[in-house]
Amino acid sequence: MYKAFGLTICSEISLPELTQLHKDEEVADIFIDIGYLSCFWDEFKIHQRNFIVKESLVIFQIPNTATFCIKDGKNIIVSPMDGSDYDKIRLYILGTCMGVLLMQRKIFPLHGSAIAINGKAYAFIGNSGAGKSTLASAFINKGFQLLSDDVVAVKFLNEDGPFIMPSYPQQKLWKDSLEKFGMQTSDYRPLFERETKYSIPVNSNFSHEPSPLAGVFELVKTENEHIQICKIEKLERFRTLLYQTYRHSLVNKMGLTEWHFTDSSKIINKVQMYQLKRPTSEFTAQNLVSMILSFIKEREII
């Protein structure tokens, strides 16, 4: 039995990345099982591409790896292919499958990293390669705690506003970022065979408690030489939240457009959003941390 994203998980597949619970003390919210999905996939794949969405069920297949089914916000069924790498299968369980499952449970999944700063949560969202995990790692090196990396679960726990639910104590960093931080790749495991992205345990720098979301920063690479922070205004905030929703292309297919708009409105009404532009010409992670801390202190959003 495990815990992640504020949910208890009973899994037939070992998930060493997650915080483990004592089995007898918990009731599972989610069940992850191994099953046979090939016939199901063959039946539907001729009608749709990449992802099959049918009522409360989403199915997708990764070549040479597995077929995955996410159902009712409660079940993940995995059908591994012969000789598949379970490290790679776990990546999809904790990434795409969890992103879809959170949406099925009406929990808002952002693509990014989240850090706890003085009891509040700040989300750093952006496209792949924007530097979200690297920035989170720079915060961790300064003594702050990670709340989530890759999938950021935003949930409304009460009328006070959105909270970020802790995911699990692991980061994923590219080889280049490791070297920039002076870390040795030989000390860490690649996410899967021949991958140049590494698994970084952060057990002692992980927050296990939900934190109120206090700010959202969209990280964008630019050819300019200077770091810039500018406020995201008006309707652009809706576009940003939609585009940076994890697997946002599924929102409409899953019939969740109205829910997504409503929850986006609730987030926008409670939280300021900013665009953080960083130059591509140099490694700026430490500078970004100092600038963000000063920025949020000046605006009293700590």
Side-chain angles (χ1 to χ4, degrees), residues 110-115 117 121-127 130 132 135 139 213-220 227-232 240-241 244 271-277 288-289 291-297 299 301:
L110 287 170
H111 182 209
S113 299
I115 292 290
I117 301 174
Y122 295 84
F124 301 97
I125 60 178
N127 297 336
K132 306 176 294 294
L135 178 59
F139 271 106
L213 179 60
V216 175
F217 292 81
E218 184 188 27
L219 198 54
V220 175
I227 299 169
Q228 288 181 296
I229 301 179
C230 52
K231 196 171 183 178
I232 303 176
T240 301
L241 287 177
Q244 300 302 345
V271 177
Q272 297 293 332
M273 295 176 59
Y274 303 92
Q275 193 170 73
L276 178 60
K277 297 180 180 178
L288 287 172
V289 169
M291 191 166 179
I292 292 165
L293 290 174
S294 298
F295 184 83
I296 59 180
K297 186 176 181 181
R299 283 154 184 78
I301 55 176

Side-chain angles (χ1 to χ4, degrees), residues 39 85 104 207:
C39 291
D85 182 346
Q104 289 177 337
S207 174

Side-chain angles (χ1 to χ4, degrees), residues 137-156:
S137 190
F139 271 106
I140 291 170
N141 290 342
K142 287 284 188 182
F144 296 98
Q145 290 187 310
L146 180 75
L147 277 161
S148 193
D149 190 39
D150 196 24
V151 181
V152 176
V154 181
K155 185 175 182 180
F156 290 86

Side-chain angles (χ1 to χ4, degrees), residues 70-128:
I70 309 102
K71 184 180 178 184
D72 297 329
K74 189 167 186 176
N75 299 98
I76 297 174
I77 302 166
V78 183
S79 181
M81 297 176 188
D82 290 341
S84 55
D85 182 346
Y86 269 71
D87 287 345
K88 193 172 182 181
I89 287 175
R90 292 204 309 277
L91 271 182
Y92 284 95
I93 291 175
L94 299 176
T96 299
C97 291
M98 286 306 304
V100 169
L101 185 138
L102 289 172
M103 283 198 282
Q104 289 177 337
R105 298 179 75 96
K106 307 289 179 65
I107 298 173
F108 206 104
L110 287 170
H111 182 209
S113 299
I115 292 290
I117 301 174
N118 297 334
K120 294 185 179 180
Y122 295 84
F124 301 97
I125 60 178
N127 297 336
S128 297

Side-chain angles (χ1 to χ4, degrees), residues 3-279:
K3 186 164 188 176
F5 304 103
L7 302 167
T8 52
I9 301 168
C10 179
S11 178
E12 196 174 345
I13 296 174
S14 176
L15 300 169
E17 301 87 349
L18 305 192
T19 301
Q20 197 157 7
L21 300 174
H22 297 293
K23 187 174 181 180
D24 295 338
E25 297 176 3
E26 302 288 344
V27 176
D29 298 306
I30 301 169
F31 296 89
I32 301 174
D33 296 299
I34 295 174
Y36 184 70
L37 297 170
S38 296
C39 291
F40 210 39
W41 174 260
D42 292 341
E43 179 182 351
F44 287 106
K45 72 176 183 180
I46 58 173
H47 301 296
Q48 302 182 50
R49 299 177 62 186
N50 301 326
F51 287 87
I52 296 168
V53 180
K54 186 174 175 61
E55 298 175 350
S56 61
L57 181 147
V58 175
I59 304 177
F60 67 97
Q61 188 175 85
I62 302 300
N64 304 316
T65 303
T67 305
F68 302 85
C69 174
I70 309 102
K71 184 180 178 184
D72 297 329
K74 189 167 186 176
N75 299 98
I76 297 174
I77 302 166
V78 183
S79 181
M81 297 176 188
D82 290 341
S84 55
D85 182 346
Y86 269 71
D87 287 345
K88 193 172 182 181
I89 287 175
R90 292 204 309 277
L91 271 182
Y92 284 95
I93 291 175
L94 299 176
T96 299
C97 291
M98 286 306 304
V100 169
L101 185 138
L102 289 172
M103 283 198 282
Q104 289 177 337
R105 298 179 75 96
K106 307 289 179 65
I107 298 173
F108 206 104
L110 287 170
H111 182 209
S113 299
I115 292 290
I117 301 174
N118 297 334
K120 294 185 179 180
Y122 295 84
F124 301 97
I125 60 178
N127 297 336
S128 297
K132 306 176 294 294
S133 296
T134 302
L135 178 59
S137 190
F139 271 106
I140 291 170
N141 290 342
K142 287 284 188 182
F144 296 98
Q145 290 187 310
L146 180 75
L147 277 161
S148 193
D149 190 39
D150 196 24
V151 181
V152 176
V154 181
K155 185 175 182 180
F156 290 86
L157 296 180
N158 52 45
E159 295 301 319
D160 291 336
F163 281 67
I164 289 186
M165 309 304 292
S167 59
Y168 52 93
Q170 178 186 277
Q171 267 208 297
K172 297 187 280 287
L173 285 180
W174 292 105
K175 179 183 177 183
D176 181 59
S177 293
L178 280 175
E179 291 173 348
K180 293 283 176 43
F181 285 120
M183 301 160 73
Q184 302 296 321
T185 56
S186 57
D187 293 337
Y188 303 97
R189 290 185 65 235
L191 290 177
F192 56 90
E193 191 178 2
R194 295 189 298 276
E195 176 67 22
T196 57
K197 204 169 189 179
Y198 290 79
S199 164
I200 315 296
V202 293
N203 294 291
S204 59
N205 295 99
F206 182 74
S207 174
H208 292 271
E209 298 299 326
S211 296
L213 179 60
V216 175
F217 292 81
E218 184 188 27
L219 198 54
V220 175
K221 294 193 290 188
T222 175
E223 297 300 320
N224 295 335
E225 295 182 357
H226 304 291
I227 299 169
Q228 288 181 296
I229 301 179
C230 52
K231 196 171 183 178
I232 303 176
E233 304 274 11
K234 300 179 180 177
L235 293 178
E236 186 64 14
R237 295 172 295 176
F238 285 97
R239 186 209 66 82
T240 301
L241 287 177
L242 176 59
Y243 193 66
Q244 300 302 345
T245 294
Y246 203 93
R247 295 298 179 190
H248 64 92
S249 63
L250 293 174
V251 170
N252 188 45
K253 293 177 183 175
M254 293 170 67
L256 294 173
T257 303
E258 184 176 347
W259 160 76
H260 191 278
F261 180 80
T262 301
D263 271 23
S264 293
S265 301
K266 290 159 70 177
I267 292 172
I268 286 168
N269 286 334
K270 290 287 186 179
V271 177
Q272 297 293 332
M273 295 176 59
Y274 303 92
Q275 193 170 73
L276 178 60
K277 297 180 180 178
R278 70 168 183 89

